[in-house]
Amino acid sequence: MSEERRSLNFIEQIIEDDLSNGMSKDHLRFRFPPEPNGYLHIGHTKAIGISFGLGEYYNAPVNLRFDDTNPAKEEQEYVDAIKRDISWLGYQWDKVLFSSDYFQQLYDWALLFIKEGKAYIDSQTSEAMAEQKGTPTQPGVDGPYRNRSVAENLDLFERMKAGEFSEGEHILRAKIDMQHPNMLMRDPIMYRVINKAHHRTGNDWCIYPMYDWTHGESDYIEQISHSLCSLEFKPHRELYDWFLDHVVDSKKIRPKQREFARLNLSYTIMSKRKLLKLVEDGIVNGWDDPRMPTISGLKRRGYTPAAIRKFVETVGVAKRDNVIDVSLLEFCIREDLNKIAPRVMAVLDPVKLVVTNYPEDKEEWFDAENNPEDENAGFRKVPFSKNLYIERADFKEEASSKFFRLKLGGEVRLKNAYIVKANHVEKDASGTVTEIHCTYSEDASKKVKGTLHWVSISHAITAQVREYDRLFNNEAPDAHADKDFMDFVNPNSLKTITAFVEPSLKTAKIGERYQFQRLGYFNVDNDTTSANLVFNKTVGLRDTWAKVKPKQNETQQKQPQQNNRPPIEQIKSYGKKYDRMPEDKQAKAKAEIIELAQQVSYDDVAPLFNTSVKKSGTRIITMITLGVLLKNGLEKNEAVTAFISKALEDKNTLLVEEAKALTAL
RNA sequence: UGGCCUAUGGUGUAACUGGCAACACGUUGGUUUUUGGUACCAAAGAGUCUAGGUUCGAUCCCUAGUGGGCCAACCA
């Protein structure tokens, strides 16, 4: 068992507290409740990881419950896909359940609510009801049907269920409080009429319960102990509890809803609706397109369940908004693949390399290590011959000593084979190198700086390689009020090339993952046939050389993040560090403060006059700001003079100096 | 009549519940290397949004302010 005290996240903390307050460990039960209206994405992975992870940790059951209360959006295809994805991630649910399993129970409870005067039928248009609902800052007002008699409500509700009304004519609302500060409590809708076939209950029902009415009750029916969801449901908690209050049997487990911050990833979007649009508009080739942030997309891209689970675990659980950098996801997949992916040689952008002193008809088969990280991975044979391909980027006619690869007159090792020296190049009319002529030496013990991968032209097989770039060329495509996320779609997110790969790959199977040495990780795509090998680039290797190359386009955008804080707040933020700054920075800060102080009023600074004596930094910046105010015509009052004269007696010379400057004004 | 969340290096999470801010990613050096990968070593980078209070002591508790987020679907 874990020994080093692992720090608990706030949810684990809540559970531990419940446990130590007498809750039995076997009453622990969790659930993951997706709506089957789309595919699961990397964001869901966090929710899955939390609930299923808790299940594994406490050895408690976790239900997979499909929240299928809206037949207009839900489809069997999605429930199948969701099950597939969760299983692929390696999680095991206890039971597969559906909210629709509880339609009868929910209906019976609704009847009870009506009888107790806790619910009523409203027969207005949705517009009229929206009107009465008020706004976040304005209370709502009661509607005309709010005080219908129980008998009438019962009659209407039964007729709703019987299909006597069309959509929109009547709905059932909880009777709570139209003036409630929480908008969700202003008589929320419990049932509406939907005349659509449900993917499971068919035409049995034409009234369907709303999310709020369904969710907590479903948790209760399943005896879920902790119902975990993302932060945007926080306001729903009050309603969740209100509904529960009226049905709960105190001898049973009363579920608790608790909320965590959802996962955001840079350069991508997480909304099912928007992902659906990418699919429908043909921006990508389906939900499992390797560029999609869906679980099935990541799977097809070559990600492993282990990497995704590691990612989720690393990301942690808290309540503040976050944007996780994709580089963390990439780190996780590289870390996993490095250990398990067999190495192989492939040339993506070939240039011919002729070994002039190697016999035309000779071939040799060298041993090549399958995975240096795994002693048991063994070796394979790779063929060598006179005519080879190497990567075009691995040769330069002339280059500095920083360039470890092949240059004219330079030597380089061909991985698993000989050391060669480049002597001569052939070019076409446009000056592009068409052939590099080199000579090999048998002496393998020589020290050379660079090692290149290569393939023998006559032995190589061709393969289609799909390289992916991020789908959006903006860090937060979702987060711009003035622009649509579609404006940020990267038109060049897919590059298809024909590559030459070593012959051992002839037998590669769909789904297998390889490292193309010095290039990255690649997996065999589903589109592969016996005649056509297709690879997806999962992720490149870490490339420190690529980083030193681009010198000029280095000064890229580092958005001068706009500061929304009022001037006085910005000035205050200098306070703490001001007297610790080196002189040059201090001068800059002071200039900045003086600038900002132009927009500051006396009322802004006055509260800072009684800053405690030990905070000299804050007092200095206050003094500077005050100076600007005085110059701009502010009259000294008692508070000002007191502040200045007190500063004059301070130990801090900087402060004294600033104060002196003001005595003259 | 607005309510509720939230604030710690570039990013994400910690800080044993009040005891001199740690881990991971990223960045920068270096060592090893038949992958400019991996591994290993090292460094830089925050003094915890601001002010006040409680305290011997505050990232942690209280108050106020400021910034950010969520809430007005017959969606979930």
Side-chain angles (χ1 to χ4, degrees):
Chain A
M1 317 252 30
S2 64
E3 282 0 308
E4 291 312 300
R5 172 187 7 210
R6 181 175 82 93
S7 65
L8 302 176
N9 66 46
F10 79 98
I11 291 175
E12 294 165 330
Q13 191 64 253
I14 288 168
I15 294 172
E16 286 298 321
D17 289 349
D18 287 340
L19 253 21
S20 55
N21 285 333
M23 174 179 241
S24 158
K25 212 174 161 181
D26 8 285
H27 284 150
L28 251 25
R29 184 181 288 271
F30 309 98
R31 109 266 94 117
F32 175 64
E35 181 187 15
N37 68 341
Y39 280 63
L40 260 22
H41 54 64
I42 185 79
H44 292 109
T45 274
K46 178 172 180 177
I48 293 169
I50 289 172
S51 287
F52 281 97
L54 249 15
E56 288 179 356
Y57 183 74
Y58 287 107
N59 195 21
V62 183
N63 290 343
L64 171 58
R65 179 169 75 232
F66 289 96
D67 218 341
D68 55 349
T69 58
N70 185 354
K73 288 188 175 178
E74 294 143 11
E75 291 172 32
Q76 185 63 38
E77 176 201 349
Y78 297 127
V79 346
D80 297 337
I82 288 168
K83 285 199 222 170
R84 227 184 298 129
D85 288 344
I86 294 174
S87 298
W88 179 74
L89 283 173
Y91 290 109
Q92 277 175 341
W93 52 77
D94 183 44
K95 299 191 189 80
V96 176
L97 297 164
F98 294 83
S99 296
S100 52
D101 294 339
Y102 314 133
F103 281 171
Q104 185 60 47
Q105 172 68 266
L106 257 9
Y107 176 77
D108 292 342
W109 271 330
L111 252 23
L112 229 61
F113 272 63
I114 296 172
K115 286 176 189 155
E116 287 173 13
K118 298 258 168 9
Y120 64 97
I121 301 290
D122 201 329
S123 311
Q124 305 179 83
T125 63
S126 57
E127 293 76 27
M129 285 177 10
E131 185 86 9
Q132 290 151 15
K133 199 161 187 180
T135 71
T137 52
Q138 226 140 345
V141 296
D142 292 358
Y145 298 99
R146 198 165 193 270
N147 292 314
R148 280 222 248 236
S149 71
V150 169
E152 191 181 1
N153 284 326
L154 238 24
D155 173 61
L156 252 14
F157 190 48
E158 270 158 26
R159 287 165 61 198
M160 267 172 75
K161 176 178 186 267
E164 289 185 29
F165 305 119
S166 49
E167 293 184 15
E169 274 187 76
H170 306 281
I171 50 113
L172 182 73
R173 303 178 79 168
K175 192 169 177 177
I176 306 180
D177 179 1
M178 288 304 289
Q179 276 86 255
H180 203 285
N182 180 351
M183 301 255 334
L184 283 154
M185 299 295 278
R186 322 236 258 231
D187 289 11
I189 297 175
M190 295 170 73
Y191 274 96
R192 78 288 211 192
V193 172
I194 300 179
N195 288 312
K196 289 231 167 51
H198 184 277
H199 70 108
R200 296 189 72 246
T201 61
N203 295 311
D204 293 353
W205 297 84
C206 60
I207 55 171
Y208 289 91
M210 298 286 287
Y211 165 84
D212 285 296
W213 170 232
T214 309
H215 204 92
E217 318 311 293
S218 301
D219 285 341
Y220 177 64
I221 292 168
E222 293 176 21
Q223 287 289 281
I224 302 301
S225 59
H226 300 265
S227 179
L228 308 169
C229 59
S230 49
L231 232 34
E232 63 267 32
F233 289 97
K234 177 69 219 285
H236 294 253
R237 183 149 120 198
E238 200 172 9
L239 181 53
Y240 180 103
D241 285 330
W242 188 89
F243 280 136
L244 242 28
D245 282 341
H246 297 92
V247 302
V248 162
D249 173 344
S250 61
K251 290 192 284 295
K252 297 176 97 175
I253 297 294
R254 178 185 175 125
K256 272 186 183 170
Q257 175 183 305
R258 292 297 180 270
E259 312 82 10
F260 54 86
R262 68 188 311 160
L263 169 71
N264 297 297
L265 241 202
S266 62
Y267 293 98
T268 193
I269 55 171
M270 272 333 163
S271 132
K272 279 195 222 173
R273 201 196 88 236
K274 290 173 182 167
L275 293 174
L276 177 64
K277 184 163 169 65
L278 294 177
V279 174
E280 284 177 339
D281 288 11
I283 305 290
V284 296
N285 304 310
W287 286 98
D288 71 341
D289 186 293
R291 290 165 290 180
M292 289 283 272
T294 51
I295 294 176
S296 48
L298 290 164
K299 174 186 176 191
R300 187 159 179 189
R301 175 83 172 248
Y303 274 76
T304 59
I308 295 175
R309 290 176 65 151
K310 174 72 188 295
F311 172 69
V312 167
E313 186 190 310
T314 309
V315 152
V317 181
K319 281 164 84 159
R320 54 178 139 147
D321 292 327
N322 58 78
V323 181
I324 286 125
D325 202 294
V326 272
S327 67
L328 183 63
L329 219 208
E330 292 178 346
F331 165 77
C332 291
I333 186 59
R334 285 195 190 105
E335 187 190 41
D336 192 26
L337 257 19
N338 176 52
K339 287 180 298 200
I340 62 175
R343 318 282 129 129
V344 98
M345 292 198 286
V347 175
L348 264 40
D349 180 18
V351 63
K352 189 172 177 184
L353 180 73
V354 181
V355 189
T356 52
N357 60 341
Y358 197 85
E360 189 73 47
D361 46 4
K362 186 173 174 183
E363 69 172 41
E364 285 178 273
W365 290 76
F366 294 117
D367 284 322
E369 197 177 15
N370 283 328
N371 188 346
E373 304 295 315
D374 178 1
E375 292 175 359
N376 304 317
F379 292 80
R380 70 187 184 286
K381 296 282 188 187
V382 293
F384 185 84
S385 67
K386 184 186 182 82
N387 297 306
L388 311 171
Y389 281 136
I390 62 168
E391 219 61 64
R392 192 166 279 279
D394 282 344
F395 175 76
K396 271 188 178 171
E397 290 182 69
E398 298 175 50
S400 77
S401 61
K402 290 264 214 171
F403 185 77
F404 301 165
R405 286 113 103 137
L406 191 60
K407 51 193 164 194
L408 279 182
E411 284 186 310
V412 90
R413 184 187 302 276
L414 294 176
K415 178 91 184 163
N416 305 311
Y418 299 110
I419 290 176
V420 296
K421 178 177 184 177
N423 305 307
H424 168 74
V425 288
E426 305 264 306
K427 296 182 183 176
D428 65 12
S430 67
T432 309
V433 174
T434 53
E435 278 184 17
I436 303 156
H437 290 190
C438 68
T439 47
Y440 84 100
S441 92
E442 298 268 359
D443 179 11
S445 63
K446 235 187 287 186
K447 274 256 179 206
V448 291
K449 203 86 179 204
T451 301
L452 306 187
H453 62 278
W454 50 274
V455 292
S456 162
I457 296 178
S458 58
H459 300 87
I461 56 178
T462 59
Q464 187 190 110
V465 171
R466 298 172 182 168
E467 278 192 298
Y468 304 101
D469 196 358
R470 35 180 67 119
L471 243 188
F472 297 96
N473 44 33
N474 185 280
E475 213 170 319
D478 241 4
H480 301 264
D482 48 334
K483 279 193 174 168
D484 190 70
F485 75 101
M486 294 295 279
D487 296 345
F488 297 109
V489 170
N490 175 3
N492 305 310
S493 56
L494 170 63
K495 199 167 108 195
T496 303
I497 52 189
T498 300
F500 296 89
V501 305
E502 63 170 70
S504 73
L505 251 16
K506 200 162 288 176
T507 55
K509 306 275 183 304
I510 287 175
E512 283 179 342
R513 304 177 178 94
Y514 294 91
Q515 184 195 95
F516 290 1
Q517 279 183 113
R518 303 211 304 131
L519 296 174
Y521 297 98
F522 295 75
N523 76 327
V524 183
D525 187 76
N526 301 355
D527 287 346
T528 294
T529 63
S530 53
N532 189 23
L533 193 52
V534 181
F535 285 97
N536 297 306
K537 181 172 181 176
T538 308
V539 66
L541 256 27
R542 239 177 116 241
D543 190 352
T544 43
W545 168 242
K547 278 179 211 153
V548 331
K549 268 188 302 181
K551 327 181 164 174
Q552 57 263 75
N553 53 5
E554 184 120 29
T555 38
Q556 281 192 358
Q557 70 285 0
K558 201 35 171 205
Q559 300 282 16
Q561 53 162 353
Q562 94 258 34
N563 199 335
N564 292 330
R565 322 191 76 204
I568 187 65
E569 292 296 323
Q570 294 184 53
I571 290 174
K572 278 202 256 177
S573 68
Y574 283 111
K576 277 224 171 146
K577 26 194 156 166
Y578 191 85
D579 46 349
R580 278 201 308 270
M581 284 178 173
E583 264 178 50
D584 54 328
K585 281 202 178 163
Q586 211 169 62
K588 254 183 90 181
K590 186 169 172 179
E592 182 78 12
I593 292 168
I594 290 172
E595 181 71 34
L596 288 162
Q598 302 296 339
Q599 308 164 53
V600 165
S601 73
Y602 176 78
D603 291 342
D604 291 331
V605 245
L608 293 172
F609 291 165
N610 51 11
T611 299
S612 71
V613 190
K614 55 185 174 182
K615 293 188 177 177
S616 41
T618 301
R619 290 164 77 208
I620 295 169
I621 59 102
T622 304
M623 197 63 73
I624 295 171
T625 309
L626 183 59
V628 174
L629 256 40
L630 290 171
K631 270 190 195 130
N632 290 348
L634 176 74
E635 294 283 322
K636 277 187 194 172
N637 63 19
E638 239 173 85
V640 171
T641 29
F643 178 64
I644 296 174
S645 57
K646 193 167 162 204
L648 284 168
E649 292 156 19
D650 203 86
K651 288 198 294 275
N652 188 308
T653 52
L654 229 46
L655 177 56
V656 174
E657 229 171 88
E658 295 293 347
K660 272 187 188 156
L662 297 205
T663 49
L665 294 172

